[in-house]
Amino acid sequence: MIASKLLSRTLLRCHSTAAAAIAYNSKNVPIDQTKLFINNEFVESVSGKRLEVINPSTGDLICDVAEADKADVDIAVAAARKAFTYGSPWRTMNASERGRLIYKWADAIERDIHYIAALETLDNGKPFNDSLHVDIPLVINTLRYFAGWADKIQGKTIPSDGSTFVYTRHEPVGVVGGITPWNFPLAMFAWKIAPILACGNTAVMKVAEQTPLTALTWLNLLRRLDSPKEFSMF
C-alpha cells in the first residue's frame, strides 16, 4: 500500500513535469525583458550595444540583450546611492515592510514557477526537471528565509566596567555590488540579493552575460510590486 502511494506520487510528479515541459519548449518560451534594469526601470544601454544570448543545448540565438559598460555602471551606482540617502523611501521603510516585499517577490516567482523554470532551462541548458524541482524552489526558499530576517537584525547591550553604556547596532552599509555566474543563474542571484535587501542595502548586480534572462524576468516581477520608485538598482 505504501509502495503504491509512493509510486502514484512519483508518477504524478513526472506527469506534472512532462506537462509543464510540453507547455513550454525552446520555441515558445516568451522573453520578458532584454534591457538593463536601473532605478526600477528598464532602459537601453548608453552605447546602444547589444549582446547575443545563445541556447547552450542547440547553439541557436535566443535573443539579444542590452550590453552594459562603464557609463551604465556609473548611472546604476549613482541611482543606488541616491536610493540609500537618508529620508529616501527605501531608507525610511520599516524592516517588516522590507520583509513583506521580499515575501511577495517569492510568491510571484512561485506563481510563475513553470515559466521561470522553462526560461532557466532555455538560457542555461540544464534539464527542465532540475530547474523546476531544484533551482527555482531554492530561489523561493532563499527569499523567504531572508525575508524573515529583515525585522530580526539587532545589536547587543554589552556589560562593561565603570559608568559606561556599551552597545552595538547593526546598520546597512550602503551600495553593494554583486557578480553572479552562469551555472546557477537565478539561485546565486537570490543568494546575493536577498540578504542585501533584507539588511536595508541597495545593490548593483552584474549577472553572467551567458545567462541573463531569468534575472531580467525576475526583476520585472519586482517592478510590478508596490515597491518605492527607487527600490532597487541593477
Side-chain angles (χ1 to χ4, degrees), residues 23-206:
Y24 290 112
N25 58 57
S26 61
K27 297 184 184 300
N28 72 354
V29 180
I31 307 303
D32 201 18
Q33 287 291 343
T34 63
K35 297 180 180 180
L36 305 179
F37 188 70
I38 300 176
N39 203 26
N40 218 25
E41 298 290 343
F42 285 98
V43 297
E44 290 290 353
S45 62
V46 172
S47 68
K49 292 187 293 186
R50 307 288 290 183
L51 184 70
E52 291 186 346
V53 180
I54 304 299
N55 183 335
S57 64
T58 65
D60 295 334
L61 176 68
I62 301 173
C63 66
D64 55 55
V65 298
E67 180 179 350
D69 55 25
K70 182 180 183 301
D72 303 292
V73 174
D74 289 344
I75 293 171
V77 171
R81 285 175 173 164
K82 181 179 179 182
F84 191 72
T85 55
Y86 286 106
S88 70
W90 181 241
R91 288 299 298 274
T92 56
M93 180 183 290
N94 291 329
S96 59
E97 181 67 9
R98 288 202 307 269
R100 188 182 72 85
L101 282 171
I102 298 172
Y103 274 125
K104 289 178 67 175
W105 208 6
D107 292 342
I109 294 170
E110 188 172 52
R111 181 197 64 208
D112 296 338
I113 188 169
H114 287 92
Y115 163 61
I116 294 174
L119 186 60
E120 189 83 319
T121 290
L122 175 67
D123 201 18
N124 172 267
K126 65 179 58 185
F128 178 74
N129 190 62
D130 289 3
S131 296
L132 182 63
H133 295 298
V134 180
D135 290 37
I136 309 307
L138 180 60
V139 170
I140 296 166
N141 291 340
T142 298
L143 286 174
R144 287 175 176 159
Y145 174 82
F146 284 104
W149 267 109
D151 59 356
K152 300 173 185 65
I153 301 169
Q154 55 194 3
K156 296 180 179 179
T157 301
I158 303 169
S160 63
D161 294 339
S163 59
T164 57
F165 177 67
V166 181
Y167 69 97
T168 62
R169 178 179 176 179
H170 294 177
E171 296 182 331
V173 297
V175 181
V176 180
I179 301 174
T180 60
W182 60 268
N183 53 334
F184 284 86
L186 206 54
M188 291 194 179
F189 191 92
W191 296 349
K192 288 178 171 58
I193 199 62
I196 289 172
L197 297 182
C199 292
N201 301 289
T202 56
V204 175
M205 300 290 293
K206 190 272 179 189

